[in-house]
Amino acid sequence: MSQHPNQHPNQHPNEPGDGPASHPLRFGYGTNGLTDLRLDDALALLADLGYDGVGLTLDHMHLDPLADDLAARTRRVARRLDALGLGVTVETGARYVLDPRRKHGPSLLDPDPADRARRADLLVRAVDVAADLGAHAVHCFSGITPAGTDEDTAWKRLAESLAPALDAAATAGVPLAVEPEPGHLLATLADFHTLRRALGDPDALGLTLDIGHCQCLEPLPPADCVRAAGPWLRHVQIEDMRRGVHEHLPFGDGEIDFPPVLEALAATGYQGLTVVELPRHSHAGPHFAAHSLPFLRRAAPAPPPRTNRSGSPSATH
């Protein structure tokens, strides 16, 4: 599939013809916050609301990464995204897609090599799906260090388990964006750099930055985290949160001052999607999707004025 123009890495989001949503940032909403909707209905909702794209979690109720007809289903979703004008990033945070009894299990850190391989295979499948969808990144995370596993062993397992996905990502030209997650082995921006250096700084490895997680546990304020993360940003998730409490909250229910965060994000030149991440609010997903986008647009920096060919500001703006 050819890449949708909204996702082309070399197209600036303020170029003419980009539509009414001319903010320098592109906003999406995660399907893990719309699990009570059929995927087609969720995509139509987001397009109708004016979102630029979708964070598509591969899961049994939407695009099942373990389905026998995954390739055919992916082609149908690709056509639907193209028809709706939605960009996409692929997320791999489904709770029980691999194991109906273990949340997010198995992980890349599991003691059993076969279990680690199952998670690695999911990431390779996700890269294939992302390439077929024209996605700008594949999101992933390390997992929680298993009981009885020392830290050195956990980091070694993580690096080894990521190797097949990084190879696939390099071949497909779709970056793998690992997310620092509170409570996981890779929990902070500093941990991301530990992994990056251990792997030899591969081009295919990037960063998913969750703005709420910055508020929750990073030593720097969220806007400073964005600036520090800028060179490695490949995907961004966003929601409100309180210091020290890992609970994804609707905008306005936490402590984050969003205008400085979004101004810092725009200043990095990041051109992927900034995806609202409210996985525990699916019971009212359409409501929160409808209210999140206006909030973000109000908080985002105003787009620069368009200029005519002489370089002067256009009289129509």
Side-chain angles (χ1 to χ4, degrees):
M1 178 194 173
S2 61
Q3 197 171 38
H4 190 277
N6 276 354
Q7 298 169 240
H8 195 288
N10 296 321
Q11 179 186 12
H12 192 278
N14 287 324
E15 287 179 358
D18 199 46
S22 56
H23 291 291
L25 299 174
R26 299 167 58 228
F27 296 117
Y29 199 92
T31 59
N32 62 358
L34 296 169
T35 56
D36 292 308
L37 276 67
R38 298 177 183 87
L39 179 57
D40 192 64
D41 292 338
L43 297 179
L45 170 72
L46 298 181
D48 288 346
L49 290 173
Y51 281 92
D52 300 296
V54 58
L56 176 56
T57 295
L58 302 184
D59 208 348
H60 61 86
M61 79 291 290
H62 286 151
L63 187 56
D64 187 347
L66 304 184
D68 292 336
D69 58 346
L70 176 60
R73 292 188 186 195
T74 300
R75 287 192 293 271
R76 288 195 294 270
V77 173
R79 289 193 294 269
R80 186 62 172 151
L81 290 168
D82 192 65
L84 294 171
L86 292 172
V88 61
T89 188
V90 170
E91 303 197 356
T92 62
R95 292 185 178 96
Y96 295 100
V97 69
L98 292 178
D99 189 325
R101 292 173 176 83
R102 286 193 294 164
K103 181 181 177 183
H104 298 313
S107 80
L108 297 170
L109 308 178
D110 272 25
D112 186 340
D115 277 348
R116 297 199 299 273
R118 289 176 60 204
R119 175 62 63 173
D121 178 67
L122 175 66
L123 297 184
V124 172
R125 287 172 177 253
V127 170
D128 291 342
V129 169
D132 289 342
L133 295 179
H136 71 80
V138 172
H139 149 275
C140 67
F141 47 80
S142 69
I144 297 170
T145 304
T149 300
D150 65 86
E151 190 168 299
D152 287 344
T153 298
W155 281 109
K156 182 179 178 181
R157 286 177 186 167
L158 179 59
E160 292 176 349
S161 298
L162 280 175
L166 285 169
D167 288 344
T171 300
V174 179
L176 196 67
V178 65
E179 177 189 7
E181 181 80 20
H184 284 209
L185 173 69
L186 198 157
T188 65
L189 286 171
D191 293 334
F192 166 73
H193 291 296
T194 296
L195 175 66
R196 181 178 61 81
R197 288 189 294 267
L199 291 170
D201 199 16
D203 290 341
L205 181 68
L207 172 69
T208 293
L209 187 69
D210 187 302
I211 302 302
H213 295 173
C214 297
Q215 176 68 24
C216 178
L217 84 169
E218 292 286 353
L220 295 174
D224 289 343
C225 290
V226 169
R227 284 184 280 269
W232 298 276
L233 279 182
R234 300 296 179 268
H235 182 43
V236 176
Q237 297 171 344
I238 193 165
E239 68 286 314
D240 217 338
M241 204 168 286
R242 300 187 182 99
R243 184 70 178 168
V245 182
H246 184 202
E247 181 182 1
H248 291 232
L249 299 172
F251 298 116
D253 287 2
E255 301 170 342
I256 298 175
D257 182 15
F258 284 95
V261 173
L262 296 179
E263 183 176 1
L265 184 58
T268 69
Y270 171 72
Q271 295 188 22
L273 292 171
T274 299
V275 172
V276 179
E277 189 81 0
L278 292 174
R280 296 189 178 181
H281 292 75
S282 277
H283 64 283
H287 166 83
F288 287 107
H291 285 77
S292 295
L293 185 58
F295 179 94
L296 290 170
R297 286 182 170 168
R298 288 192 300 269
R306 292 187 180 182
T307 59
N308 57 31
R309 292 185 180 180
S310 69
S312 302
S314 170
T316 59
H317 291 271

